């Protein structure tokens, strides 16, 4: 889990301000989402797969972390293949299913697009430390500090919540109600988790207030969050990949704006 | 700046005039009619029965009670002559629960948090952070993960975070109630060191008086009916109010628990229920915490599981209880105990556990599943498909035995700490298991609840029930346990001493 | 509040409603967001096999599962009762599910979280953040469901045929009403009864004074 144990290391990627990673991932996603064609997605994906060599991940952890993307992309692709807009030759039709020349093309584009959008954000987020991200969001992006820090403090409770969840599971077995009714038990467990988490949250809020959190007056920052050359470079790379894929797509006449 | 100079903030004064507070939506006042004057630099132990509003007073002094949305106030409460809520940072509050006070992921950042909120310049913050960590004696790197700290270390971390704000009023709300004996000592020593070097006014709430008795020069007792019951130097108040305090659940030094230790010479039974040939235990599959464990659980006999933090006491208890899978070896039930359910408790159905092994978790809230106390107690019998009349009768019996009858319709989560503990024991008793496994049953309880639990367990033992209890509580082990199994603390270490509790 | 203003507000009177977030509002909203994010992760893992079952029945029906990602915003809105609460909790839950679990949807999850939170938020705003009855909760769920459909159809299923769009939209609205609306409302009421919400209006309105 990246949040509880962000990947540690000394390569440049680890020191880049998380805000830049977020910006690069969002920029890329924002541009790729405008079009639905296989060319732009394929170009972006090709560039990304090369860039991933500098991402600070071993092949094994790359595979492990990005596994959900590799599963979801073809799944969405198949949905589009079967139920996407029909066009051109009909290959197979059965009930709602309509596999056509057009839906095959859409399916390929959808699969590639999810990979091109999903992979870089997973890879970039693996090396993000939540504390650094919060510092960046508050100091660089200037989001309201109370909300950013409140969110960060909430995040720290994740580990406790996971322990609670496990204890709740064991306790339900001890209470004699773990033999059946999975859905009901899950709901009761989710409810108990909410009770416990709100209790913890209330105590945490008091502890934070007792340390002057939310007090009027200007807050200072113990850690400085900076946005300099290497951050600009990363955003620049994201922009370059986005522009290149758009350029190739338009040049080959494949650009297909999503709202048309 | 040396730590000594760093802490030299002058103490704050406290004045209360007819002060009271009522939480929004409540009819009763949490505190009322408090008249007090505490001079700068005084060290005060604040006592009172649970429900007397000690915590509310401390929260008010720290300025964290909330505004008009959250309750209503009468009278006056002043810190250094001003409203406490207007001057955050002049008072520092340390709370009871170590886990809920860690705010950030790294030790240095966490200590710096308060200074940041007060707008202290960056260079000054890091100076203060180092000083504060030195003062509480927490020698870990600034980027050490806070999640890796023990309970005692977390409390000292929180104390450092408070000290870094340089408060003139230091407020401690049962800071050691959730700690093991080692953690209690750590925190007490840290506070003692701070008090030596600081002129801050100091107020602590604690029902185990012995911990703080020598560090305070004044004891104030709040009356549950409102106002101040007693106020004076520690010896006088503890002598004159001793009986009353003990009855209200305060552990008054020199009085013991009021129950005779070691009065149970022979266990009520000796038939073996469980054996553990070559048992190894693990929380998660990967990490074995202890191996080569050989214990025998005997009917009518209390077995205490003791040992340092992280030695695997709870893990062992939950493994014996048939909830965690052994990482090696086995937990085996004798056929009479298994009663047709197979030799390994971990393979029993959830329902089959009910009449055989009952488990009381450390946190009662983990085991609550119903909306009322009565429904909570019926969950087990109902899972056993007992007839409705039998369920009602059994539940009534348990309600009375645990003095919860007046709360039958209350929501379990709304009970007080002691009531929750009794209910969690009650849910287990409802199905009359032959073996009771308890994880820290007396943890954080006041003297009253402590006595009740001990008396109840004593009765169960006499009835022939077997007990396995994880406990840090020396008094509890000495009073209840026949045998003790001590876990050494390192997975590599060979087993461990099992023997009679030294009397 | 002045130091000498003693007592005197009869506590049955309605306190003036404040739109400013207190620290406890922020922290509890965060905690709800984080806990919901963890539940999203469980849901993410269940989604692919379940949608594989539903989609062949009727394409677009997989959106019935969407409610599993929508309850955070409605629950946050119902408990916190301040402007932005639904957006904040839904967005945070989305971020947590990405940071902790790593999802296939990558950075776009931020957009999804924002849009879905907005769907619920608009409904609470329509009632001036003053009405939190069951029907408002159901409407907020429906709003979140509609937002989910719009977002998904544009982002993930562009170029879908009209029947798919209709079924997908209807399914996500139904899911939003039942899972995000009804379930969140029941959770809110249950939480109030445990006393966990004593610092919130949500925790006081449904409890008798004790």
């Amino acid at each position: 889990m990246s949040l509880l144990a962000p990947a540690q290391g000394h390569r440049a990627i680890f020191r880049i301000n998380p805000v830049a990673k977020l910006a690069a991932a969002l920029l890329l996603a924002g541009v790729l989402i405008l079009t639905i064609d296989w060319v732009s997605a394929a170009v972006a994906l090709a560039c990304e797969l090369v860039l991933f060599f500098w991402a600070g991940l071993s092949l094994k952890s790359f595979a492990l972390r990005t596994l959900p993307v590799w599963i979801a992309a073809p799944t969405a692709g198949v949905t589009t293949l079967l139920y996407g807009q029909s066009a051109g030759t009909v290959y197979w039709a059965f009930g709602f299913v309509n596999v056509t020349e057009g839906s095959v093309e859409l399916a390929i584009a959808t699969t590639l697009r999810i990979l091109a959008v999903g992979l870089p954000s997973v890879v970039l987020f693996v090396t993000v430390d939540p504390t650094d991200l919060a510092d960046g969001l508050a100091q660089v992006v200037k989001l309201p500090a109370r909300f950013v820090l409140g969110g960060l403090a909430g995040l720290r409770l994740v580990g406790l919540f996971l322990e609670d969840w496990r204890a709740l599971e064991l306790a339900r077995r001890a209470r004699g109600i773990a033999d059946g009714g999975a859905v009901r038990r899950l709901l009761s467990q989710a409810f108990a988790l909410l009770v416990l988490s709100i209790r913890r949250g209330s105590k945490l809020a008091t502890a934070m207030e007792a340390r002057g959190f939310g007090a009027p007056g200007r807050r200072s920052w113990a850690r400085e969050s900076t946005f300099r050359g290497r951050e600009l470079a990363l955003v620049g790379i994201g922009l370059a990949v986005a522009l290149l894929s758009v350029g190739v797509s338009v040049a080959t006449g494949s650009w297909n704006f999503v709202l048309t | 700046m040396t730590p000594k100079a760093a802490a030299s903030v002058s103490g704050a004064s406290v004045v209360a005039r007819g002060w009271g507070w009522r939480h929004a939506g409540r009819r009763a006042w949490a505190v009322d009619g408090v008249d007090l004057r505490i001079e700068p630099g005084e060290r005060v132990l604040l006592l009172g029965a649970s429900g007397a509003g000690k915590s509310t007073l401390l929260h008010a002094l720290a300025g964290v009670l909330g505004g008009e949305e959250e309750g209503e106030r009468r009278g006056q409460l002043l810190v250094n002559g001003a409203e406490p809520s207007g001057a955050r940072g002049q008072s520092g509050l340390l709370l009871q629960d170590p886990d809920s006070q860690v705010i950030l992921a790294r030790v240095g950042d966490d200590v710096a948090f308060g200074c940041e909120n007060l707008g202290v310049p960056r260079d000054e913050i890091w100076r203060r952070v180092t000083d504060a960590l030195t003062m509480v004696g927490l020698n870990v790197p600034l980027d050490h993960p806070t999640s890796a700290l023990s309970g005692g270390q977390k409390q000292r971390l929180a104390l450092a975070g408070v000290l870094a704000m340089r408060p003139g009023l230091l407020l401690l709300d049962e800071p050691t109630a959730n700690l093991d004996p080692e953690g209690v000592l750590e925190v007490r020593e840290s506070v003692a060191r701070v008090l030596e070097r600081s002129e801050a006014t100091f107020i602590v709430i604690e029902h185990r008086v012995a911990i703080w008795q020598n560090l305070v020069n004044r004891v104030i007792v709040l009356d549950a009916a409102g106002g101040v019951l007693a106020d004076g130097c520690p010896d006088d108040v503890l002598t004159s109010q001793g009986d009353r305090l003990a009855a209200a659940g305060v552990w008054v030094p020199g009085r013991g628990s009021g129950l005779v230790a070691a009065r149970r010479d022979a266990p009520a039974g000796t038939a073996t229920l469980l054996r553990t040939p070559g048992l190894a235990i693990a929380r998660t599959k990967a990490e074995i915490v202890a191996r080569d464990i050989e214990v025998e659980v005997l009917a009518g006999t209390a077995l205490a599981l003791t040992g340092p933090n992280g030695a695997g006491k709870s893990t062992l208890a939950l493994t014996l209880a048939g909830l965690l899978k052994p990482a090696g070896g086995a937990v085996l039930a004798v056929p009479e105990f298994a009663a047709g359910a197979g030799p390994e408790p971990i393979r029993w159905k959830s329902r089959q556990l009910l009449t055989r092994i009952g488990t009381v978790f450390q946190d009662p809230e983990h085991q609550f599943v119903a909306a009322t106390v009565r429904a909570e107690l019926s969950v087990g019998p109902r899972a056993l498909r007992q007839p409705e009349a039998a369920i009602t009768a059994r539940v009534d019996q348990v309600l009375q035995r645990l003095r919860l009858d007046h709360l039958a319709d209350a929501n379990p989560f709304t009970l007080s700490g002691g009531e929750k503990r009794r209910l969690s024991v009650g849910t287990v008793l409802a199905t009359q298991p032959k073996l009771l496994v308890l994880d820290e049953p007396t943890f954080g309880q006041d003297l009253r609840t402590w006595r009740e639990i001990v008396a109840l367990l004593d009765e169960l033992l006499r009835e022939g029930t077997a007990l396995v209890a994880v406990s840090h509580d020396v008094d509890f082990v000495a009073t209840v346990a026949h045998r003790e199994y001590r876990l050494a603390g390192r997975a590599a270490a060979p087993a461990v001493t099992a023997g009679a509790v030294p009397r | 509040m002045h130091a000498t203003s003693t007592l005197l507000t009869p506590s049955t009177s309605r306190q003036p409603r404040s739109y400013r977030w207190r620290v406890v509002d922020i922290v509890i909203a965060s905690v709800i967001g984080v806990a919901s994010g963890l539940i999203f992760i469980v849901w993410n893992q269940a989604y692919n096999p379940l949608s594989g079952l539903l989609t062949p029945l009727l394409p677009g029906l997989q959106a019935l599962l969407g409610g599993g990602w929508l309850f955070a915003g409605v629950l946050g809105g119902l408990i916190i009762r301040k402007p932005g609460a639904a957006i904040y909790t839904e967005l945070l839950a989305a971020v947590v599910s990405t940071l902790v679990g790593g999802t296939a949807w990558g950075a776009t999850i931020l957009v999804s979280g924002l849009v879905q939170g907005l769907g619920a938020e608009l409904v609470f705003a329509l009632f001036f953040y003053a009405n939190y009855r069951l029907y408002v909760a159901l409407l907020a769920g429906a709003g979140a469901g509609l937002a989910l459909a719009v977002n998904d159809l544009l982002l993930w299923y562009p170029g879908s045929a009209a029947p798919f769009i209709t079924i997908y939209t209807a399914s996500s609205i139904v899911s939003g009403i039942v899972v995000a609306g009804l379930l969140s409302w029941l959770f809110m009421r249950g939480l109030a009864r445990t006393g966990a919400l004593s610092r919130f209006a949500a925790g006081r309105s449904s409890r008798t004074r004790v």
Side-chain angles (χ1 to χ4, degrees), chain A residues 156 164 175 199 219-220 222, chain B residues 102 116 120 365 367 376:
Chain A
R156 204 200 46 76
D164 277 335
R175 295 295 313 273
R199 282 273 159 77
R219 194 176 193 280
S220 61
Chain B
V102 179
E116 292 180 306
V120 177
E365 294 193 350
Q367 58 188 109
E376 195 68 70

Side-chain angles (χ1 to χ4, degrees), chain A residues 51-248:
Chain A
L51 288 167
F52 287 162
F53 282 106
W54 287 274
L57 281 178
S58 70
L59 197 62
K60 188 183 160 203
S61 67
F62 174 77
L64 217 68
R65 308 259 193 182
T66 57
L67 188 66
V69 189
W70 295 105
I71 295 171
T75 311
V78 170
T79 309
T80 311
L81 177 72
L82 300 179
Y83 315 112
Q85 252 167 22
S86 324
T89 322
V90 177
Y91 298 122
W92 188 48
F94 178 80
F96 284 95
V97 176
N98 229 345
V99 181
T100 62
E101 210 179 325
S103 70
V104 170
E105 202 176 303
L106 273 177
I108 295 173
T110 302
T111 308
L112 290 177
R113 194 164 79 139
I114 294 183
L115 289 175
V117 169
L119 291 179
S121 46
V122 172
V123 168
L124 285 170
F125 278 14
V126 166
T127 54
V128 165
D129 181 304
T131 310
D132 298 338
L133 176 61
D135 282 343
L137 288 176
Q139 293 175 53
V140 177
V141 190
K142 308 271 182 215
L143 293 180
R146 289 202 309 155
F147 285 85
V148 172
L149 290 167
L152 180 65
L155 273 186
R156 204 200 46 76
L157 297 177
V158 165
L160 293 175
F161 293 171
L162 293 174
E163 276 172 34
D164 277 335
W165 187 260
R166 182 141 175 74
L168 289 170
E169 234 161 21
L170 295 180
R172 268 139 192 83
R173 171 167 161 78
R175 295 295 313 273
I177 53 174
D179 291 327
V183 174
R184 223 188 122 176
R185 186 151 36 93
L186 211 66
L187 279 179
S188 113
Q189 235 168 286
F191 178 75
L193 182 73
L194 278 170
V195 176
L196 292 168
S197 54
I198 290 176
R199 282 273 159 77
R200 283 194 200 284
S202 304
K203 287 188 229 162
L204 177 64
T206 302
M208 290 174 81
E209 278 188 289
R211 296 225 221 141
F213 183 65
R218 214 181 144 72
R219 194 176 193 280
S220 61
W221 295 92
R223 302 162 302 280
E224 192 182 10
S225 182
T226 53
F227 203 90
R228 298 207 183 105
R230 58 178 174 225
E231 281 78 20
L232 286 171
L234 181 69
V235 177
I237 292 173
L239 187 67
V241 173
L243 291 179
L244 183 67
S245 48
V246 170
V248 174

Side-chain angles (χ1 to χ4, degrees), chain A residues 2 85 113 121 146-147 199 259, chain C residues 21 88 99 106-107 155 159 194:
Chain A
S2 60
Q85 252 167 22
R113 194 164 79 139
S121 46
R146 289 202 309 155
F147 285 85
R199 282 273 159 77
L259 289 178
Chain C
W21 288 58
Y88 179 74
L99 278 176
L155 254 59
T194 66

Side-chain angles (χ1 to χ4, degrees), chain B residues 234-260:
Chain B
D235 291 343
D236 292 352
V237 174
L238 292 176
T239 311
S240 68
Q241 299 291 325
D243 292 331
R244 214 158 163 180
L245 287 170
V250 175
W251 295 80
V252 181
R255 287 171 179 257
S257 61
L259 292 177
V260 187

